[in-house]
Amino acid sequence: MNHTKGGLVIFTANSHPSSRELGKRIAERLGVELGKVQVYQEANRETRVQIQESVRGKDVFVIQTVSKDVNTTIMEMLIMVYACRTSCARSITGVLPYFPYSKQCKMRKRGSIVSKLIASMVCKAGLTHLITMDLHQKEIQGFFNIPVDNLRASPFLLQYIQEEIPDYRNAVIVAKSPASAKRAQSFAERLRLGIAVIHGEAQDAESDQVDGRHSPPTVKTTGAIHPSMEIPLLIPKEKPPITVVGDVGGRIAIIVDDIIDDVDSFVAAAETLKERGAYKIFVMATHGLLSSDAPRFIEESAIDEVVVTNTIPHELQKLQCPKIKTVDISMILSEAIRRIHNGESMSYLFRNIGVDD
């Protein structure tokens, strides 16, 4: 049954078959068929997109999930959006459940803010609206000059906890670092559970010792600073021993985060929680990148179950590790598409969402 007005076209921009599964689920929920498009790689690795139906005057929604080759994923999205724009589509909405390069949203020494660059590129290509989910930092929305709807996967993960973890009342929500404490607090308050924070683990920040800023100047400068002036030095950080703030003894530990990619920190956190007496350990995250040997490390670790959504396809990783479970979020994405196309309010999808969620 079609749940939308006419003039809606949904395309999947990904050339990888496993990455088109989410688009099929969304189209099925909306009662429409996926638009006819051909996306493929030339022999020289150039991306080619051929739209095989008219989009003139229509609302186009381009669904793109991130495959293993993230740079090809971005080019497929850009070329398809631009093709729709030059084919006179009325509006072009990008549906990127996981926004690529979102971790690179802060200046690191002499690096760059790559997520700002990606935002500028998709806007320049012709995107008029963006639907995404659980941005790594909510401030990324400010990089765009188009409307951005940053949906939340937490209602689906909370539902999984309540329905699939029988003794969840005996659980404690764990933040594997102080940086993820707000997310853990949000989960704990909604489930009426306690919270624990692991402090003192190795940080992901880059080492300052390799930065060229510590190099002496090649030319001696005079007169820049008065000889009597001394700029106070910032005291260097010293990592304290690993401690767990909160009681996890005899309880189920549920570690929550937004992205799980390199699982080393999650495995280390699970070992720490086991030592402190937790008898079962779950890891829950919105985006399961699970790169490289992550499935093997999870299978060999103290983690009992890893729960992620299908914002990113990970069927291969599930075959390698039975501990990985998937929560389907196509329902909220399809509802967002329906509301935008029909001109309805999006506030229903953000009920009870706070500033810190």
Side-chain angles (χ1 to χ4, degrees):
M1 179 179 177
N2 194 320
H3 299 284
T4 64
K5 298 177 182 178
L8 168 68
V9 181
I10 296 178
F11 291 124
T12 57
N14 211 299
S15 57
H16 198 279
S18 65
S19 299
R20 291 198 292 266
E21 183 61 31
L22 181 61
K24 292 178 181 177
R25 287 173 179 264
I26 292 173
E28 184 178 342
R29 288 183 180 276
L30 290 171
V32 299
E33 293 185 0
L34 287 175
K36 298 175 182 178
V37 63
Q38 192 175 11
V39 183
Y40 59 94
Q41 308 296 319
E42 298 274 11
N44 62 355
R45 301 299 297 165
E46 286 186 1
T47 299
R48 184 174 290 273
V49 173
Q50 293 181 343
I51 297 175
Q52 298 174 330
E53 63 179 89
S54 174
V55 296
R56 183 179 294 272
K58 295 183 180 180
D59 293 332
V60 176
F61 291 82
V62 180
I63 301 170
Q64 180 67 310
T65 54
V66 176
S67 62
K68 189 175 181 180
D69 188 352
V70 63
N71 295 322
T72 299
T73 296
I74 293 170
M75 285 307 301
E76 289 174 348
M77 180 74 179
L78 293 172
I79 294 172
M80 178 166 286
V81 169
Y82 188 66
C84 293
R85 176 186 174 185
T86 54
S87 298
C88 301
R90 183 173 67 177
S91 66
I92 308 168
T93 302
V95 184
L96 281 82
Y98 171 70
F99 188 71
Y101 285 94
S102 60
K103 283 187 175 182
Q104 299 189 46
C105 60
K106 295 180 181 179
M107 179 63 74
R108 298 285 186 186
K109 298 177 183 176
R110 292 190 179 90
S112 60
I113 305 176
V114 183
S115 56
K116 166 62 176 173
L117 173 64
I118 302 300
S120 300
M121 289 167 65
V122 295
C123 292
K124 187 68 174 177
L127 212 62
T128 59
H129 199 132
L130 177 68
I131 301 173
T132 187
M133 180 166 282
D134 282 337
L135 287 169
H136 187 55
Q137 297 288 341
K138 292 187 287 294
E139 291 77 11
I140 293 175
Q141 295 175 79
F143 294 162
F144 295 84
N145 54 14
I146 59 174
V148 177
D149 287 309
N150 182 28
L151 303 175
R152 306 296 196 275
S154 52
F156 297 91
L157 297 176
L158 290 167
Q159 184 181 36
Y160 185 93
I161 293 173
Q162 292 172 318
E163 295 180 356
E164 303 297 331
I165 304 178
D167 196 20
Y168 83 92
R169 290 292 182 188
N170 188 37
V172 58
I173 306 298
V174 179
K176 69 180 179 68
S177 68
S180 56
K182 283 187 176 180
R183 178 179 293 270
Q185 181 182 358
S186 174
F187 273 68
E189 289 176 352
R190 281 169 167 75
L191 293 169
R192 313 301 193 260
L193 299 176
I195 184 174
V197 180
I198 300 176
H199 180 52
E201 64 179 345
Q203 301 298 311
D204 294 331
E206 301 173 15
S207 173
D208 291 331
Q209 297 178 358
V210 297
D211 193 314
R213 298 176 192 178
H214 296 285
S215 305
T218 55
V219 180
K220 185 177 180 180
T221 58
T222 59
I225 300 178
H226 194 275
S228 63
M229 295 176 60
E230 290 188 9
I231 299 175
L233 294 176
L234 189 64
I235 300 173
K237 293 181 180 179
E238 184 177 340
K239 296 171 185 175
I242 294 179
T243 57
V244 179
V245 182
D247 181 22
V248 298
R251 296 191 176 188
I252 300 171
I254 304 175
I255 305 172
V256 296
D257 213 333
D258 62 329
I259 300 172
I260 176 168
D261 186 7
D262 181 5
V263 299
D264 289 348
S265 58
F266 291 93
V267 171
E271 291 175 356
T272 301
L273 294 169
K274 276 288 186 182
E275 292 172 0
R276 300 301 195 279
Y279 72 90
K280 206 166 186 181
I281 299 171
F282 290 79
V283 174
M284 310 202 103
T286 302
H287 310 295
L289 275 69
L290 302 170
S291 303
S292 189
D293 292 328
R296 180 172 62 84
F297 291 147
I298 293 170
E299 187 66 26
E300 297 172 356
S301 72
I303 299 172
D304 293 282
E305 196 168 285
V306 173
V307 183
V308 292
T309 71
N310 57 343
T311 56
I312 297 171
H314 47 262
E315 295 305 315
L316 179 60
Q317 289 90 331
K318 288 176 70 175
L319 293 174
Q320 297 172 341
C321 178
K323 292 182 180 180
I324 300 172
K325 308 296 181 184
T326 307
V327 175
D328 181 25
I329 45 80
S330 62
M331 180 188 298
I332 192 170
L333 293 175
S334 60
E335 180 62 14
I337 290 173
R338 189 193 68 80
R339 286 174 175 271
I340 290 172
H341 175 61
N342 293 341
E344 300 177 17
S345 171
M346 295 285 285
S347 60
Y348 177 80
L349 304 180
F350 293 94
R351 292 171 302 167
N352 301 324
I353 299 294
V355 176
D356 296 330
D357 292 325

